[in-house]
């Protein structure tokens, strides 16, 4: 466990996310909570590994960690730790903060006691997300100080300093990263680890109860705290001017990973510019920014997504009656879309400063390459469920889906995903389609998603007797984000035995009358179960239960069990293409002569293609090496 | 020596590209060279394509501008071509010659291009080194050492700002004892594959 060595000065390569965890350990974090979501997951997974390491040794971990039911719960658990005087960290992906926002927006009114860092990992370009919202708005919206690191080293430092700022202001602090920081590795130097505080104590305070009279009192308190925060920002070590060349009156304002591009590209183009690097971006250090504006005739603002710094600088310039030229997004130079990269920055620089772009024009391939989108794994039980539902349901049935691996069911040949908004939206939209159309509706979600956000919608379906089939693809884990536990698993994130909650028990408790529990690897029975569920008038609930194939293969390997592989008997195969064209396991492929084969290195031995082949051509042929 | 060194590692989810990039990063830290490693792996585990960048020396950005890679190290031939925008005439493209056929070829009928055409196209834009990493790995004792073969080949280019031994040691540090010998062999054979 290199990450917990208390060896100041030691330098190791860390992921931005791991560096945040290390920063929290150095700051003596007591309670860490999360709901997993890419690109934030490794922060919490590292906490989890550390606690498991202690649990395994029979020792008490130095801090408490949990994968909470959802981000709102995660925030609330950690807030209570803070109210009790402990240091707490909550991490989530950007859309997770939408879920937690109800708590967040009032949390800043009452404030915290022990330092509390909320990490929001944003995802410009939607590498693994349903939108690319800019959560810097949440810092402004809710009133929270915000830090934005540029490197893993800075991510660690900001986490440590962030706890101090949070305690100084009695406000939770937003540490905002983006994918390019979360998933970048760089050298990180260790500092001494502080001891956690251990057990906190809650002192009652009527101002923690936000009845209207209290809320009215606390709003001005929040504004005062933000004024204090501005003073901290003016002095912050993370806000500084970096000179490139021999700068005169041209400035660049930047934050986060964009700063890295700005600096390197300014150097590459031999520009003479002063870069105002903002690390504490809410509130911005107004005096420092005004001084910067005064010293410049032209300013280029480089920030991904929304023009948040740009607008603040324009406002400042307007108030100062400055005639500085500010280039950003509204002047059309920079886009509000997607991730930036060195090419984009160099292109804008060369246009504004009229210098030649020194890089060769990117070459393009003349050959058209087949796309390689992610797909459901070979042997994934979701594929079998989808195949069965397709057989059971009428042609124009609607398939609302949810956030998780099963969105990959959207791809051909299955095409079993019609609508997706957010965590839990499958069940809510299913209810809506039931009252709006005459079509049959089968919705899909995962087990973790069910606990996270779908139970209220299930209750809605029961209470209003909506005619829907709501399916939980129960693969016993939170697969997409890296196989984290959830309330339906037997162990918690610290590796301790935990009470396992069954989704079918919850559904029964919510009053669902028609419940089917099936093993999707039996396609015939699964098809029959969905037919019964579709025939039932009113809400029915199907639990399609089979562990994620990756976990299953892993389990079998560890237990020394054989993993079978399957092949196609070329004499029996009629090349009807059912297995590839309708089922679509990625282990199946056509040879150049049109014959169908199974790539045994990819086959995970689920045996489901055997049930799909109408000619009995597929059978077990050996075991995986 | 170059002041900035940019290496792009590409392949398919599950091929260990991210691990290979991580090893390079660790070797750089060991050699006390500034390094940034960037990876995108949202859904890579589910068979998508993977791109990692490793930048060393006087760099601030984990990402490199187009056309500025010193080496593109590819675990799959068409993935090397897919990332051709990183190369210039001097870039060394080292690729394994064993294809991984995407399922879109089977299901959607998109053709997998002829390997000869792929290699010809790469050669037009960069210096191409084809190696049968799988075969060399097997000859070295275990197919699992395929990426070690590729890293050996990378070390042999002389592009890295540290000795090949630093990279080899980093690899050996990360594998279990019983795999150390095969990995050493795979690394050396990978180096030979480039030198010849
Ligand atoms: S048994 Fe058939 S369906 Fe299952 S993983 Fe192997 S090829 Fe795919
Ligand atoms: S379903 Fe059976 S007969 Fe049809 S192509 Fe596949 S293996 Fe051959």
């Amino acid at each position: 466990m290199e990450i917990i060595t208390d060896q100041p000065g030691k330098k190791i390569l860390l992921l931005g996310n791991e560096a945040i965890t290390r920063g929290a350990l150095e700051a003596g974090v007591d309670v860490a909570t999360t709901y997993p979501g890419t690109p934030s997951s490794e922060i919490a997974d590292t906490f989890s590994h550390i606690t498991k390491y202690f649990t395994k040794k029979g020792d008490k971990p130095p801090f408490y960690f949990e994968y909470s039911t959802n981000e709102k719960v995660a925030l609330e658990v950690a807030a209570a730790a803070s109210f009790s005087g402990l240091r707490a960290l909550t991490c989530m992906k950007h859309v997770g903060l939408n879920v937690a926002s109800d708590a967040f927006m009032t949390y800043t009114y009452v404030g915290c006691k022990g330092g509390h860092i909320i990490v929001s990992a944003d995802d410009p370009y939607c590498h693994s997300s349903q939108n690319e919202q800019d959560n810097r708005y949440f810092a402004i919206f809710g009133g929270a100080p915000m830090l934005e690191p540029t490197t893993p080293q800075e991510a660690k430092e900001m986490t440590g300093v962030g706890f101090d700022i949070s305690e100084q202001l009695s406000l939770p602090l937003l540490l905002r990263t983006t994918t390019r920081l979360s998933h970048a590795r760089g050298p990180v130097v260790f500092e001494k680890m502080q001891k956690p505080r251990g057990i906190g104590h809650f002192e009652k305070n009527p101002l923690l109860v936000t009845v209207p009279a209290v809320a009215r009192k606390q709003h001005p308190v929040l504004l005062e705290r933000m004024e204090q925060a501005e003073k901290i920002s003016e002095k912050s070590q993370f806000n500084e001017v970096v000179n490139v060349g021999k700068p005169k009156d041209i400035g660049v304002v930047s934050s986060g990973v964009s700063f890295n591009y700005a600096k390197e590209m300014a150097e590459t183009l031999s520009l003479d510019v002063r870069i105002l690097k903002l690390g504490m971006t809410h509130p911005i250090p107004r005096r420092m920014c005004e001084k910067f504006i005064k010293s410049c005739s032209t300013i280029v603002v480089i920030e991904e997504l929304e023009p948040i710094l740009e607008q603040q600088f324009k406002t400042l310039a307007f108030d100062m009656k400055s005639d500085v030229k500010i280039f950003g997004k509204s002047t059309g130079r920079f886009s509000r879309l997607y991730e930036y990269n060195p090419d984009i920055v160099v292109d804008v620089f060369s246009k504004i400063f009229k210098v030649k772009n020194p890089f060769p024009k990117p070459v393009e391939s003349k050959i058209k390459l087949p796309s390689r989108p992610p797909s459901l794994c070979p042997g994934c039980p979701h594929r079998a469920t989808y195949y069965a539902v397709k057989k059971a349901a009428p042609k124009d049935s609607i398939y609302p889906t949810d956030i998780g691996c099963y969105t990959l069911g959207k791809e051909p040949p299955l095409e079993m995903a019609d609508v997706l908004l957010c965590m839990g939206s499958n069940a809510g939209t299913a209810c809506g389609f039931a009252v709006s159309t005459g079509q049959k509706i089968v919705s899909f979600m995962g087990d973790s998603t069910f606990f996270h956000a779908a139970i209220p919608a299930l209750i809605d379906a029961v209470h209003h007797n909506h005619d829907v089939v709501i399916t939980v693809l129960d693969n016993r884990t939170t697969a997409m984000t890296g196989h984290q536990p959830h309330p339906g698993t037997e162990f918690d994130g610290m590796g301790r035995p935990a009470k396992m909650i069954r989704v079918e028990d919850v559904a029964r408790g919510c009053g669902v009358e028609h419940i089917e529990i099936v093993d999707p690897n039996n396609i015939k029975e699964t098809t029959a179960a969905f037919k019964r569920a579709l025939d039932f008038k009113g809400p029915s609930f199907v639990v399609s239960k089979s562990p994620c194939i990756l976990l299953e293969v892993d389990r079998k390997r560890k237990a020394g069990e054989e993993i079978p592989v399957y092949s196609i008997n070329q004499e029996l195969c009629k090349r009807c293409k059912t297995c590839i064209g309708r089922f679509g396991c990625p282990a199946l492929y056509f040879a150049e002569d049109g014959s169908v084969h199974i790539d045994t290195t990819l086959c995970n031995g689920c045996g489901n293609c055997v049930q799909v082949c109408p000619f009995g051509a597929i059978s077990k042929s050996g075991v995986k090496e | 020596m170059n002041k900035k060194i940019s290496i792009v590692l590409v392949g398919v989810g599950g091929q260990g590209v991210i691990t290979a990039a991580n090893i390079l990063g660790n070797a750089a830290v060991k050699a006390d060279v500034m390094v940034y490693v960037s990876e995108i792996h949202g859904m890579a585990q589910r068979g998508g394509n993977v791109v990692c960048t490793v930048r060393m020396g006087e760099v601030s950005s984990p990402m490199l501008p187009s056309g500025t890679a010193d080496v593109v190290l590819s675990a799959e031939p068409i993935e090397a071509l897919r990332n051709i925008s990183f190369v210039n005439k001097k870039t060394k493209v080292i690729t394994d010659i064993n294809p991984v056929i995407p399922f879109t070829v089977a299901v959607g009928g998109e053709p997998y291009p002829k390997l000869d055409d792929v290699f010809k196209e790469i050669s037009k834009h960069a210096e191409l080194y084809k190696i049968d990493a799988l075969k060399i790995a097997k000859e070295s004792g275990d197919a699992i050492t395929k990426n070690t073969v590729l890293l050996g080949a990378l070390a042999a280019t002389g592009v890295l700002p540290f000795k090949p031994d630093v990279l080899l040691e980093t690899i050996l540090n990360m594998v279990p004892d019983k795999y150390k010998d095969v990995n050493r062999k795979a690394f050396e054979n990978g180096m030979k594959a480039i030198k010849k």
Side-chain angles (χ1 to χ4, degrees):
Chain A
M1 274 267 122
E2 216 175 6
I3 196 151
I4 53 170
T5 44
D6 195 6
Q7 216 177 305
K10 187 183 165 85
K11 192 191 332 172
I12 69 170
L13 190 75
L14 286 184
L15 206 57
N17 279 343
E18 294 165 338
I20 291 172
T21 307
R22 173 69 197 187
L25 295 176
E26 287 179 2
V29 69
D30 285 289
V31 172
T33 60
T34 191
Y35 182 82
T38 316
S40 78
S41 304
E42 296 84 0
I43 306 171
D45 291 349
T46 308
F47 281 123
S48 174
H49 292 150
I50 296 169
T51 51
K52 280 185 193 157
Y53 169 81
F54 282 97
T55 306
K56 224 175 175 176
K57 280 199 307 176
D59 293 344
K60 195 172 172 283
F63 54 86
Y64 173 80
F65 167 74
E66 73 170 42
Y67 290 109
S68 308
T69 315
N70 64 29
E71 293 85 354
K72 179 172 179 286
V73 176
L75 186 63
E76 290 158 352
V77 169
S82 165
F83 294 148
S84 312
L86 300 182
R87 287 194 154 178
L89 183 142
T90 309
C91 50
M92 57 193 74
K93 70 180 291 170
H94 59 339
V95 288
L97 196 48
N98 300 342
V99 177
S101 63
D102 206 1
F104 176 75
M105 294 300 292
T106 305
Y107 187 18
T108 49
Y109 274 41
V110 301
C112 68
K113 191 172 169 195
H116 187 175
I117 291 190
I118 301 168
V119 186
S120 165
D122 291 12
D123 191 16
Y125 193 69
C126 312
H127 288 286
S128 44
S129 308
Q130 65 269 40
N131 75 26
E132 55 176 0
Q133 68 186 49
D134 190 332
N135 274 13
R136 292 179 299 168
Y137 276 132
F138 264 115
I140 300 169
F141 195 20
M146 171 167 61
L147 294 172
E148 288 184 76
T150 57
T151 62
Q153 171 69 29
E154 207 172 53
K156 194 211 74 169
E157 286 168 18
M158 283 185 173
T159 308
V161 173
F163 276 110
D164 295 337
I165 296 178
S166 167
E167 274 166 18
Q168 227 174 312
L169 295 170
S170 304
L171 280 176
L173 178 136
L174 197 68
L175 182 69
R176 188 250 188 183
T177 70
T178 55
T179 306
R180 209 42 83 172
L181 183 280
S182 299
H183 287 171
R185 286 172 204 271
V188 172
V189 181
F190 286 178
E191 277 163 83
K192 184 125 198 61
M193 293 220 263
Q194 281 177 53
K195 248 192 155 49
R197 296 172 186 177
I199 292 190
H201 182 78
F202 178 67
E203 272 153 35
K204 299 184 190 220
N205 176 354
L207 292 178
L208 287 172
V209 187
T210 47
V211 293
V214 170
R216 279 194 289 271
K217 245 192 213 148
Q218 288 304 100
H219 196 181
V221 172
L222 171 58
L223 298 186
E224 273 162 37
R225 284 173 175 163
M226 286 317 290
E227 272 170 34
Q228 288 300 317
E230 198 180 302
K231 286 187 187 138
I232 292 175
S233 187
E234 297 283 1
K235 291 200 193 107
S236 171
Q237 76 222 69
F238 301 122
N239 296 332
E240 57 173 332
V241 176
V242 177
N243 288 327
V244 175
K246 295 189 198 84
K248 281 181 290 252
D249 60 348
I250 292 177
V252 170
V253 173
S254 195
S255 70
V257 290
S258 302
F259 167 77
N260 302 327
Y261 310 141
K263 177 159 181 278
E264 194 174 318
M265 293 307 108
E267 287 166 356
T268 307
L269 295 176
S270 307
L271 299 179
D272 296 313
V273 291
R274 323 172 56 216
I275 308 178
L276 178 60
K277 170 179 179 287
L278 293 174
M280 184 155 179
T281 44
H282 190 248
I284 56 167
R286 200 171 357 167
R287 285 236 188 87
M288 189 182 191
C289 296
E290 283 170 356
K291 225 175 114 196
F292 192 77
I293 291 172
K294 264 191 205 134
S295 72
C296 294
S297 65
T298 303
I299 289 177
V300 185
V301 185
I302 309 182
E303 57 186 327
E304 286 173 332
L305 301 178
E306 300 303 313
I308 294 175
L309 291 174
E310 180 184 339
Q311 277 167 3
Q312 294 184 78
F313 270 76
K314 284 185 172 159
T315 309
L316 283 179
F318 179 84
D319 289 346
M320 292 162 65
K321 302 197 170 53
S322 159
D323 54 7
V324 63
K325 267 203 237 80
I326 298 180
F327 291 106
K329 294 169 200 273
S330 52
T331 42
R333 305 273 184 196
F334 280 110
S335 172
R336 278 172 64 183
L337 303 171
Y338 318 140
E339 243 192 333
Y340 287 179
N341 57 37
D343 286 332
I344 291 172
V345 172
V346 105
D347 183 52
V348 175
F349 272 169
S350 56
K351 279 182 188 136
I352 293 178
F353 301 119
K354 308 210 166 43
V355 286
K356 200 178 161 292
N357 182 340
F359 300 118
K361 223 179 149 246
V363 293
E364 276 169 44
S365 157
K366 295 228 169 58
I367 302 175
K368 203 176 147 9
L369 300 175
S371 56
R372 204 187 284 279
S375 61
L376 292 173
C377 300
C380 174
H382 300 338
R383 180 177 291 106
T385 308
Y386 283 145
Y387 187 79
V389 174
K390 236 180 158 166
K391 283 177 80 172
K395 251 218 146 66
D396 72 339
S397 300
I398 308 171
Y399 303 116
T401 191
D402 223 294
I403 306 282
C405 288
Y406 32 90
T407 55
L408 299 173
K410 172 178 171 291
E411 299 299 327
L414 294 164
E415 298 172 317
M416 290 293 285
D418 294 332
V419 192
L420 170 62
L421 294 174
C422 59
M423 290 288 285
S425 70
N426 80 92
T429 51
C431 295
F433 287 124
V435 298
S436 318
T437 71
Q439 290 156 280
K440 284 283 181 193
I441 298 132
V442 185
S443 82
F444 301 99
M445 71 185 110
D447 33 351
S448 192
T449 310
F450 173 75
F451 293 111
H452 177 288
I455 298 169
L458 178 64
I459 292 172
D460 193 84
V462 173
H463 183 65
H464 297 103
N465 200 35
H466 293 311
D467 189 16
V468 291
V469 179
I470 294 176
T471 311
V472 175
L473 301 160
D474 186 353
N475 63 358
R476 319 296 308 126
T477 187
T478 320
M480 185 58 117
T481 48
H483 297 109
Q484 292 84 358
H486 61 64
T489 57
E490 290 142 303
F491 288 91
D492 69 8
M494 295 174 82
R496 308 173 307 180
K499 174 91 183 164
M500 178 180 91
I501 299 158
R502 288 188 177 79
V503 293
E504 57 271 26
D505 290 348
V506 175
R508 227 168 262 132
C510 292
V512 182
E513 278 164 28
H514 188 100
I515 297 179
E516 301 274 355
I517 301 165
V518 291
D519 175 358
N521 300 305
N522 186 330
I523 294 176
K524 208 167 153 199
E525 272 182 22
T526 306
T527 311
F530 274 101
K531 277 207 173 117
R532 288 192 298 272
L534 281 158
D535 285 344
F536 182 81
K537 274 262 151 259
S540 55
F541 190 75
V542 184
V543 188
S544 189
K545 214 178 268 220
S546 180
C548 168
I549 192 73
L550 299 181
L551 285 187
E552 190 58 6
V553 165
D554 200 44
R555 184 192 64 76
K556 282 186 177 162
R557 282 231 165 90
K558 280 187 185 136
E561 281 174 40
E562 282 180 352
I563 301 157
V565 288
Y566 288 74
S567 345
I568 297 175
N569 181 330
Q570 296 303 327
E571 269 157 35
L572 295 178
C573 173
K574 298 263 192 295
R575 301 191 184 180
C576 70
K577 302 179 188 170
T578 309
C579 55
I580 291 191
R582 286 172 186 264
F583 190 62
C585 171
L588 292 150
Y589 68 94
F590 289 116
E592 267 181 23
D593 64 355
S595 57
V596 184
H597 300 265
I598 291 174
D599 180 340
T600 50
T601 61
L602 291 177
C603 172
N604 281 324
C606 71
N608 290 334
C609 53
V610 176
Q611 301 167 54
V612 166
C613 173
F615 300 101
I618 308 179
S619 59
K620 197 177 136 181
S621 64
V623 293
K624 220 175 161 96
E625 280 171 33
Chain B
M1 193 179 74
N2 264 342
K3 283 182 178 168
K4 294 183 178 119
I5 294 145
S6 301
I7 296 156
V8 181
L9 297 94
V10 301
V12 180
Q15 282 190 314
V17 173
I18 293 168
T19 311
N22 202 0
I23 289 173
L24 264 184
N26 275 300
V29 171
K30 201 177 217 176
D32 215 12
V33 172
M34 183 59 209
V35 64
Y36 285 124
V37 182
S38 174
E39 55 188 63
I40 285 297
H41 58 76
M43 303 209 237
Q45 204 177 30
R46 280 88 193 155
N49 39 299
V50 182
V51 181
C52 288
T53 60
V54 180
R55 302 193 76 215
M56 302 179 193
E58 291 172 15
V59 294
S60 313
S61 159
M63 303 251 278
L64 61 149
S66 306
T68 65
D70 294 288
V71 180
V72 173
L73 190 66
S74 179
E76 206 276 352
I78 64 165
E79 294 312 316
L81 185 54
R82 201 189 297 284
N83 291 287
I84 201 74
S85 65
F86 286 114
V87 311
N88 57 56
K89 284 266 186 262
K90 284 190 205 139
T91 305
K92 295 175 168 53
V93 176
I94 304 172
T95 181
D96 185 10
I97 58 167
N98 297 288
V100 178
I101 313 284
F103 81 98
T104 45
V105 171
V107 174
E110 291 183 51
Y112 190 95
K114 287 210 178 67
L115 281 182
D116 275 348
D117 295 346
V118 170
F119 295 140
K120 245 187 238 151
E121 183 72 18
I122 298 172
S123 308
K124 261 198 239 159
H125 306 291
E127 244 178 71
L128 174 66
Y129 298 85
K130 300 179 282 184
I131 57 177
D132 191 339
L134 190 65
K135 192 166 145 229
I136 299 173
K138 281 185 187 155
E139 282 165 6
S140 311
D142 200 324
I144 207 163
T145 60
K146 205 182 111 168
N147 285 340
T148 305
V149 172
L150 288 172
L151 287 174
L154 169 65
T157 60
V159 166
L160 297 176
F162 42 78
K163 292 218 170 74
D165 278 359
V166 180
L167 184 56
L168 176 59
E169 256 173 62
T170 313
I171 297 171
L172 297 184
N173 261 335
M174 288 174 81
V175 299
D177 279 346
K178 60 173 179 178
Y179 287 114
K180 287 203 196 314
D181 279 343
V182 281
N183 271 286
R184 181 174 289 116
K185 236 183 169 170
F187 190 84
E188 281 159 9
N189 289 337
M191 284 190 74
K192 278 185 215 145
I194 285 284
K195 273 183 185 151
K196 49 179 168 191

